[in-house]
């Protein structure tokens, strides 16, 4: 049932994405007592020149 | 008026995206009696190593 | 596999949402030859005072 | 840096949302070695009559 | 052409939403030399108990 | 506090993205009297063959 969309910078290894996916899913299973199959996660990689905080692109800071 | 955001795996042909866009728009026009121009659709292609179900990346299953 | 997020104004009947869900799902099944169970749709209702086009809230036009 | 958007059905207690937020954040901190303050999570509650799988509203199944 | 989705806490007045919509649209018109009608903005209000930073709900801090 | 997600066509220069980020942030600061650091903006570039209006891909019109 839960759908997660995660925006983060690129550069994560496949192993880190595996750990994020399994770790986050386990948090849902433990907290909501739901089966793991209902947890769906989509990663969206955003470059530093496409992300701004405080009015400045991260690639400029 | 309706805005649709569609996440799906890459690999669809241009012709499939055309059929999805025209078919989905027709469903809105027929159901809500709205003009087709108000239906806006954005496709977002997500690789299999960026999509997880049940705590596992789809590229691992 | 496809996840659809649909933003539209409130006021649709349950029957209209049923028709949108079944009609959109059928378009995916026919175009991509996927089973219907993989199509997931989330409706997000947005009031007219929370939606702007051309710099004006829809509730003001 | 990561922003998470989580769609799930309403009905979670405040305590469950607290555990989800702290547990998910810990997964990021442990996997990416980032400080907890950079993890931002937004919960979006979606009613069963606004969520469809397989062409059917969840409120109908 | 641009679609903006804005998540923020509730409690803004209608006048503030009007100013955000017209001000943001003007920034696009001036920067991209596009007509104002192509700028579409959707506001999504998120309660403090549905928004977490650093692993803590904002309603707890 | 506000998070903005902006979908637009690719092809903007870095300088245009800088102006959009700083201009939009200033609108929030002036309208809501918030500090600039709380405004977070993510740009999402969508190709013309992944964006449809009126049932037609923009790359076909």
């Amino acid at each position: 049932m839960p759908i997660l969309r995660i925006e983060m910078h690129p550069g994560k290894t496949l192993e880190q994405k595996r750990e994020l996916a399994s770790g986050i899913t386990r948090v849902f299973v433990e907290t909501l007592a739901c089966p793991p199959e209902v947890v769906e996660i989509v990663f969206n990689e955003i470059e530093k020149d496409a992300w701004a905080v405080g009015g400045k692109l991260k690639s400029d800071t």
Side-chain angles (χ1 to χ4, degrees), chain A:
Chain A
M1 164 206 62
I3 303 176
L4 289 92
R5 189 152 306 91
I6 301 177
E7 280 148 344
M8 57 184 188
H9 291 312
K12 274 76 193 169
T13 65
L14 199 57
E15 191 50 36
Q16 285 175 318
K17 285 197 263 185
R18 276 189 196 115
E19 281 179 42
L20 289 172
S22 69
I24 291 168
T25 301
R26 201 168 41 238
V27 171
F28 275 92
V29 169
E30 287 169 2
T31 308
L32 302 183
C34 62
E37 310 87 65
V38 302
V39 181
E40 189 145 11
I41 301 175
V42 172
F43 294 102
N44 220 334
E45 301 197 334
I46 309 285
E47 298 285 344
K48 291 202 168 188
D49 65 358
W51 197 316
V53 175
K56 283 196 192 330
L57 298 181
K58 290 193 169 192
S59 54
D60 286 340
T61 58

